[in-house]
Amino acid sequence: MKRWFALAGKCAAVATAALCLWAAPARAEGWRANDDDSLLLELRSGQFRLGEPMRGYQTPFGVCVDFADLIQALDLPVRLDKKSRRATGWLFAEDQRLVIDRDANTVQTVNGSRAIGANAIQDTPEGWCISLSALSQWMGVRFKPDLGNLSVVIESDRKLPFLEAMERKSRAARLQKPANRDFDLASMPTAQTPYQTWRAPSVDVQVQAQWNRNAGTSVNYEGLASGEIAGMSYNARLAGRDSLAPDSFRFKLYRNDPSGNLLGPFGATQIALGDVDTPPSALTGQSAYGRGAFISNRPLNLPSRFGTTTLRGALPAGWDAELYRNGVLRAYQADRGDGRYEFADIELQFGENEFDVVLYGPQGQVRHERTSQTVGIDSIPAGKTWYWAGILDEGKDLLDLGSPAYLTRTGWRWGVGVERGLDGRTTAGLGYHSLTRSGRRKHYLEANLRRSLGPLLVELSGSHQFGSGVALRGEAIGRVKGVNINAHAMWTAGDFESDLVSLEQNREFGLRLSGSVRLGSWRLPVEAGVRQTLTQRGLKVTEVLTRGSMHIGRASLTVELLNRSIAGPVLVTAGEEQGTRLTLIGNTALGRVRLRGQAAFGLSGTHPGFQRAQFVVDAPIGPASTLRAGFDHDRIADRQEYSLGYVHQFKHFALRGEGRIDNRGNLGFGLTLAFSIGPDPVDGGWRLSRERLAETGQAAVEVYRDENGDGYRQANEPAVEGVAVEAGFRTGDKPTDAKGRTVIDGLVPYVPVLVSIDAGSLEDPLLQPKGRGMVVVPRPGVTAKLSLPLAPTGEIEAVLLGPDGEPRGGIGVELVDPAGQIVLRGQSDFDGYLFLDSVPYGSYRLRLTEASAKAMGVRTELGGQLRIDRAQPSLRLGKLRLELLPAGDLARAP
C-alpha cells in the first residue's frame, strides 16, 4: 500500500502538470472518469492524518473525492444507498442532519434544503465523487486541496468531535511516554538556567481594604517576592493586618539542587538561611519552622517520617486548600491566617503515593501542587548516606514584628541526623536533637533500623532522653493481596517527654488497614483503624476510625467516622472528650457551580449533634467573573458567619468585593486587589499578571524552523507562529506570536518537567518537532529560556533481507539521533519493504530493535550515518542485508 501510495503520487504529479496544458472548456464537456485524472489523497487536519487515503479525481470543475471514502475516513454516521441514490445520516452532531437525494436533486442540511449543483457530484466507477467546494457548503467545514502534498486539508472555526478525540488520545499517549523504558527525563536535554548575582524578583501582591461596623476601617496586605541574589534564591513575605505597619516579615535565602551538587564534597540538595523548617523524627522532634539555618543532602520531597508525611506550603490570605492522595480526597483546610497550609501526619501507603494539593483563590484561581512519594524496599540505595542539620527559633519570623497568638513557641532547637543504606534492604540512622519542653532544655539521642521483610517494610526506633527516660517504637507498612497494612507499637520508660511523646504516655498500639471494595462497577477506597493509648494515670484511650471515599461523576466525598472511648478512674476521666464524631469532606460541581467544604457531627459523647460546617460556593458569571459565597458555622463556639463576594478577572489583575456578617452583630465589607509583577521574558521590561509568578516557575519558549536540522537556530532560520507549547499538565496561555515566542506559567518548583511542542497544533503536516523537547527544572519567580526546533521532514525507504538474502517481514527497526534518542520506530512488511515517513531533517542511525536482533541472531546496526536535509529529503537505501553475529558474540548475546 505504501509503494502504491508513492507510485500514485508520481502519477498524480504528472497528471497535474498535463492538466495545465489542456483547455478547461474543452475538457468540461462530457468529462468522464479516467486513470489520467485519478488521485489518491490523504485527509489531514493539522498534523493528524484521518483514516486511509481517499480516491478522487481532478476534474475541470475542481477536485472531487469519493463520498464513501470520506464517510469512512471521518467515521460519519451516514448511510449511502447507491440503488435509491440517497445518502442519509448526521454529521458532527445529532442535530446536524444530512440528506442527499440525487433523484430529487436536493441536499438537506441544518441550514435548510437546496438544489444540488450541476457539477457537484460526478458518477465514477468507484461511486459518488463529490467536489470539495460542494462538501464545504454542505458540511459547514472547509475542504482545501493540497495537490503538491497529495492531500486534502480540513479546516473549521470550531473544534470537531473527532479531532477532539484524537487530541485527547494524543495527549494521553504523551502522558504515558515516561513509562516507556527508553523515556527518561535524566537522559533528555536540559535547559540550563544558571544562577545569577542578581535577578529581579517576581512579586505577588494582595491588598485588602475593609470596613467593619465595630472596628472601623482597616487595610490588610500581603506581598511575596522571589528572585536571586549572590547565586542564591530568595523569597520574602511582608504582611500587615489592620494597619499599614507590617506585623510579619519572613525572608529565606536558599538553594535547592535535586541532583545534589551543592557545597562540593557535601553533595547537598538544599541549603537555607532565614525562615526555614526542619524534618521530624520518629520519637523526638516534630517538624518545626522559624528563623535559623538548614542543610541536607536528602532528596527533595522525601517523606517526613516513616509511614507518614507532612505537606506544608504557602497559602495566601483568603485561599483554601484540599488534599488528594492517589486521587482520593483526604483533607480540607481554610485560611488560618499565618500564610501557610499544613496537612500533618498524612499516612503513606506501600508503593507510590501521589499527592495533589489543590489551592483555591478568592479571585477564582485554581492551582495544583503535585508531589510523589514512594515507599518501598529501596528507600536509601545501598552505600548511600543521607544527612541533615538544622537550627531554628521555632515560630519566630526573621524579623519579629508581631506576636500572633496561633504560634506555639518553644525557643531555639537544633539537631542533626544521618541515615545510611547498609544493603539493598536495610538502612540505619542516628540523630541528635535539642529542644525545650515544659520550660526546660532537653537533649535526645535517637537511632533507627529499617528492613524490608517480604511484602512489609519494618522500622525499629529508640530514643534516649539524657538524664531521664527512653522510648521505643516499632512500625510496619506493606501491601498484602491488595490490602495496605500499617501497624505500630510504642513503649516508654522513665520520665520521657518530647514533641511526639507526651509525659502522660506509657504505651500505644495501632493498626490501620486500607484497600478498595467493589460494589458492582464501582471501586470504593475504604480504610479502618484502631489505636489504643495507656497513660501514666491509668487512662486507656481507644480510638476506632473508619473512612470511605467515593468519586461519582464530578463529585468527590470522603466520610470519616471516629469513635473515642476512655476507661479508667472516674475522677481522671471527667472532662475528657469522648464519643463518636462523623466528618464529611466534599467537593462537587453542579453545572458550572463548584461547591466544596466539610462538616462535623457528634453522634454521641461530649458534644452531640451538629458541631461545625464550612462551605464555599463558586459560580462563574460570564467568562471573567465569579460569584463566591461562604458559610462557616461553629456551634461549639456559638459562631455563624456568612460571606458573599464578586470577583472579576481583568487581563493583568483580579478584583474582589465581599461582604460579611455574623451572628454577633459584626458587619463588614472589603475590596481586594490581587496581581503579580515580574520581568517580562518576551518583550523585556516588566509585566503584570493575575497568575502568582513568585510562587511558581515559568518557561519562555521560542519555536523556530530548523532548516538544516542541526538543532541550533541560525540567523536565517525563521520563527514559527501559532504553535502551542506544553509542560506536563501546563500549557501556554497563547500560542507562539509572530516572533515564535510564548510563556508557560505555573510550573511546580524543583520538579523536572518536559517542555515540548504540542504536535496537534501544527498546521503544516510536513513540519515536525525535532526531538521530544527539553527538560526544565523550575525555580520560584525565575523564567527558564529555551528554544524548540521544528524541522521539515523527509522519508526513508529500504528493503530488509535476511542473512540468506531473502526478504524478511516483521523486523522491528529504530531510527536513532546522535544523542541516542529513538526518534521513530517501524516494521518491515511481508516482503521486507520498510518505509519511515515524517522524519525531521537531521542525522540518524538505523538499527534493529533488540528483540528482532536477538531473535534472528544478527547485528543491530544497519549501515552507517544517514542524513536527511533540503538537498536530500528522501533516502532510498535499497536492499539492506542483515549480518549474522559471530559465533562467540552470539553465545554472549543477551
Side-chain angles (χ1 to χ4, degrees):
M1 176 60 73
K2 292 173 182 173
R3 279 178 292 179
W4 157 244
F5 176 76
L7 180 60
K10 297 177 182 178
C11 294
V14 174
T16 303
L19 178 64
C20 297
L21 303 177
W22 291 356
R27 297 198 57 218
E29 297 180 2
W31 181 87
R32 294 289 183 271
N34 59 83
D35 290 342
D36 291 335
D37 291 339
S38 64
L39 300 171
L40 193 62
L41 303 170
E42 287 186 338
L43 182 62
R44 286 184 174 270
S45 178
Q47 62 101 30
F48 293 112
R49 181 186 302 166
L50 310 177
E52 295 296 325
M54 303 180 298
R55 296 164 293 181
Y57 290 89
Q58 170 74 312
T59 77
F61 320 106
V63 175
C64 69
V65 295
D66 184 75
F67 193 43
D69 288 354
L70 179 67
I71 292 172
Q72 187 174 12
L74 295 179
D75 194 22
L76 295 175
V78 175
R79 180 175 180 269
L80 177 59
D81 189 343
K82 295 181 181 179
K83 290 184 179 180
S84 65
R85 292 167 56 84
R86 284 170 57 89
T88 59
W90 48 275
L91 299 176
F92 309 117
E94 293 186 5
D95 59 349
Q96 297 182 16
R97 296 287 299 170
L98 175 68
V99 178
I100 302 175
D101 192 330
R102 295 286 301 277
D103 291 338
N105 196 41
T106 59
V107 56
Q108 183 177 346
T109 66
V110 67
N111 296 320
S113 180
R114 71 181 71 182
I116 299 175
N119 300 305
I121 304 178
Q122 303 290 337
D123 288 308
T124 65
E126 294 81 10
W128 296 4
C129 195
I130 304 182
S131 69
L132 296 184
S133 59
L135 288 171
S136 299
Q137 292 178 0
W138 301 345
M139 301 179 67
V141 296
R142 296 181 295 276
F143 291 93
K144 292 187 175 181
D146 183 6
L147 297 183
N149 293 314
L150 289 175
S151 63
V152 174
V153 179
I154 181 173
E155 297 179 349
S156 175
D157 296 330
R158 67 185 190 280
K159 282 285 187 180
L160 300 176
F162 64 89
L163 288 179
E164 290 181 328
M166 296 180 73
E167 290 178 356
R168 288 193 297 269
K169 292 179 181 178
S170 177
R171 288 192 295 268
R174 291 195 295 273
L175 290 176
Q176 292 171 358
K177 280 183 179 178
N180 195 312
R181 63 185 177 91
D182 68 319
F183 186 94
D184 180 12
L185 284 181
S187 66
M188 302 292 290
T190 300
Q192 300 296 331
T193 308
Y195 281 83
Q196 297 182 0
T197 303
W198 169 254
R199 193 187 297 270
S202 296
V203 183
D204 300 338
V205 179
Q206 182 166 296
V207 181
Q208 182 183 51
Q210 56 185 1
W211 171 86
N212 185 277
R213 182 163 56 187
N214 298 327
T217 304
S218 63
V219 176
N220 300 334
Y221 60 89
E222 178 184 58
L224 177 67
S226 296
E228 292 177 358
I229 185 172
M232 301 277 284
S233 297
Y234 69 85
N235 61 45
R237 178 182 181 269
L238 182 69
R241 289 179 175 271
D242 302 329
S243 70
L244 294 178
D247 60 16
S248 174
F249 178 73
R250 298 173 186 158
F251 184 87
K252 179 180 178 181
L253 187 67
Y254 68 99
R255 187 158 175 175
N256 291 349
D257 184 357
S259 59
N261 295 320
L262 299 178
L263 300 182
F266 291 95
T269 56
Q270 48 187 320
I271 54 176
L273 297 170
D275 290 286
V276 302
D277 54 5
T278 56
S281 65
L283 289 166
T284 307
Q286 65 179 355
S287 179
Y289 59 86
R291 56 190 180 190
F294 182 78
I295 181 175
S296 175
N297 75 334
R298 305 171 84 233
L300 304 179
N301 300 321
L302 197 68
S304 307
R305 294 174 58 196
F306 181 80
T308 63
T309 188
T310 296
L311 301 176
R312 183 185 293 118
L315 186 69
W319 289 54
D320 53 293
E322 290 178 337
L323 172 65
Y324 292 81
R325 185 192 66 190
N326 295 334
V328 177
L329 180 61
R330 292 302 308 266
Y332 171 84
Q333 179 185 309
D335 177 21
R336 62 184 188 181
D338 63 347
R340 289 185 173 97
Y341 70 79
E342 181 175 354
F343 297 104
D345 297 332
I346 302 299
E347 306 88 355
L348 295 175
Q349 296 178 347
F350 192 81
E352 197 72 20
N353 294 265
E354 299 285 349
F355 291 103
D356 184 9
V357 178
V358 186
L359 305 177
Y360 299 93
Q363 280 79 29
Q365 308 98 316
V366 178
R367 196 173 78 240
H368 294 261
E369 295 186 359
R370 296 182 173 93
T371 57
S372 177
Q373 299 184 7
T374 303
V375 177
I377 62 174
D378 55 350
S379 297
I380 304 181
K384 179 71 175 179
T385 300
W386 290 344
Y387 68 86
W388 71 269
I391 179 173
L392 58 83
D393 190 2
E394 187 189 7
K396 288 191 176 182
D397 297 338
L398 183 63
L399 296 180
D400 193 7
L401 303 178
S403 302
Y406 51 79
L407 294 179
T408 300
R409 297 175 175 176
T410 60
W412 285 93
R413 58 168 61 204
W414 55 85
V416 61
V418 178
E419 299 173 274
R420 183 170 179 82
L422 303 182
D423 56 39
R425 291 176 172 270
T426 310
T427 64
L430 188 66
Y432 163 76
H433 301 264
S434 177
L435 50 89
T436 302
R437 295 290 302 178
S438 304
R440 296 174 52 199
R441 171 69 56 184
K442 299 183 179 182
H443 305 272
Y444 306 84
L445 185 65
E446 182 173 313
N448 63 73
L449 180 68
R450 187 178 302 173
R451 173 78 178 179
S452 63
L453 301 173
L456 298 177
L457 190 62
V458 180
E459 182 181 77
L460 302 177
S461 304
S463 179
H464 172 64
Q465 179 181 338
F466 293 168
S468 189
V470 297
L472 301 175
R473 179 184 175 91
E475 187 169 0
I477 61 176
R479 185 176 179 87
V480 179
K481 294 184 177 181
V483 177
N484 295 297
I485 302 172
N486 187 312
H488 74 273
M490 189 267 293
W491 300 266
T492 65
D495 296 328
F496 185 90
E497 182 187 20
S498 69
D499 284 347
L500 301 172
V501 181
S502 70
L503 188 61
E504 282 288 313
Q505 284 183 279
N506 188 350
R507 296 191 300 271
E508 180 179 292
F509 308 94
L511 174 65
R512 187 173 63 251
L513 305 175
S514 63
S516 296
V517 175
R518 183 181 293 276
L519 295 177
S521 60
W522 288 355
R523 294 184 66 89
L524 303 181
V526 295
E527 181 178 329
V530 59
R531 183 175 68 176
Q532 187 176 86
T533 303
L534 181 64
T535 70
Q536 301 286 359
R537 296 182 296 162
L539 284 180
K540 182 183 291 185
V541 181
T542 304
E543 296 179 337
V544 179
L545 171 70
T546 56
R547 179 187 289 121
S549 301
M550 64 182 65
H551 188 85
I552 305 174
R554 302 172 66 185
S556 297
L557 177 66
T558 295
V559 181
E560 183 178 285
L561 191 65
L562 175 65
N563 176 266
R564 189 171 191 266
S565 61
I566 302 176
V570 175
L571 293 179
V572 178
T573 59
E576 291 283 348
E577 183 173 349
Q578 52 186 317
T580 303
R581 184 179 64 189
L582 173 67
T583 303
L584 305 176
I585 306 172
N587 184 331
T588 187
L590 304 174
R592 300 179 62 194
V593 178
R594 178 166 290 278
L595 170 67
R596 61 186 178 276
Q598 62 181 351
F601 303 87
L603 303 184
S604 64
T606 310
H607 300 288
F610 170 77
Q611 293 183 352
R612 186 171 186 180
Q614 294 174 298
F615 296 104
V616 177
V617 181
D618 290 322
I621 304 175
S625 300
T626 303
L627 191 66
R628 166 179 279 205
F631 171 67
D632 188 347
H633 182 189
D634 189 340
R635 187 183 68 86
I636 299 175
D638 190 23
R639 181 178 62 85
Q640 299 180 35
E641 183 179 83
Y642 304 86
S643 64
L644 181 64
Y646 173 78
V647 179
H648 187 80
Q649 300 280 354
F650 294 90
K651 182 178 180 180
H652 299 301
F653 63 92
L655 194 63
R656 173 172 63 109
E658 184 181 50
R660 292 178 178 270
I661 187 171
D662 64 19
N663 62 329
R664 299 177 181 177
N666 292 316
L667 175 66
F669 299 95
L671 185 66
T672 303
L673 172 68
F675 64 91
S676 291
I677 184 171
D680 189 337
V682 175
D683 298 320
W686 295 85
R687 64 166 172 156
L688 280 173
S689 173
R690 61 175 185 249
E691 293 282 343
R692 295 188 67 86
L693 303 178
E695 294 182 7
T696 59
Q698 300 90 41
V701 185
E702 175 188 60
V703 179
Y704 67 96
R705 185 183 178 104
D706 189 11
E707 297 286 3
N708 60 6
D710 65 352
Y712 299 94
R713 187 174 187 183
Q714 313 298 326
N716 62 341
E717 291 179 334
V720 182
E721 185 178 2
V723 178
V725 180
E726 58 190 6
F729 292 94
R730 303 287 299 187
T731 58
D733 290 337
K734 298 181 294 185
T736 54
D737 59 16
K739 296 182 179 180
R741 301 174 302 183
T742 188
V743 177
I744 304 177
D745 295 319
L747 303 182
V748 179
Y750 305 107
V751 178
V753 62
L754 180 66
V755 180
S756 60
I757 292 172
D758 181 2
S761 66
L762 300 179
E763 296 184 357
D764 187 348
L766 299 183
L767 275 181
Q768 292 294 316
K770 178 76 173 175
R772 292 182 174 177
M774 297 191 72
V775 174
V776 169
V777 182
R779 301 201 294 268
V782 175
T783 301
K785 298 183 178 181
L786 64 154
S787 297
L788 297 179
L790 280 172
T793 59
E795 58 190 21
I796 298 174
E797 280 188 285
V799 176
L800 299 187
L801 304 179
D804 56 0
E806 294 296 322
R808 293 296 179 94
I811 303 300
V813 298
E814 297 170 338
L815 191 67
V816 184
D817 66 14
Q821 297 293 322
I822 299 174
V823 177
L824 287 174
R825 285 192 175 95
Q827 191 175 56
S828 61
D829 292 340
F830 70 96
D831 56 358
Y833 180 73
L834 174 68
F835 182 77
L836 299 175
D837 64 348
S838 299
V839 180
Y841 284 4
S843 299
Y844 303 98
R845 291 182 297 108
L846 195 63
R847 71 187 185 191
L848 298 185
T849 62
E850 182 180 335
S852 292
K854 180 180 179 182
M856 299 188 64
V858 297
R859 298 182 184 275
T860 58
E861 297 299 324
L862 290 172
Q865 180 169 289
L866 310 175
R867 180 159 184 84
I868 293 181
D869 51 29
R870 182 184 295 274
Q872 195 174 26
S874 298
L875 294 181
R876 307 289 183 259
L877 303 182
K879 297 179 179 179
L880 300 179
R881 188 164 181 167
L882 308 182
E883 297 182 20
L884 284 172
L885 285 171
D889 293 343
L890 185 61
R892 291 191 296 269

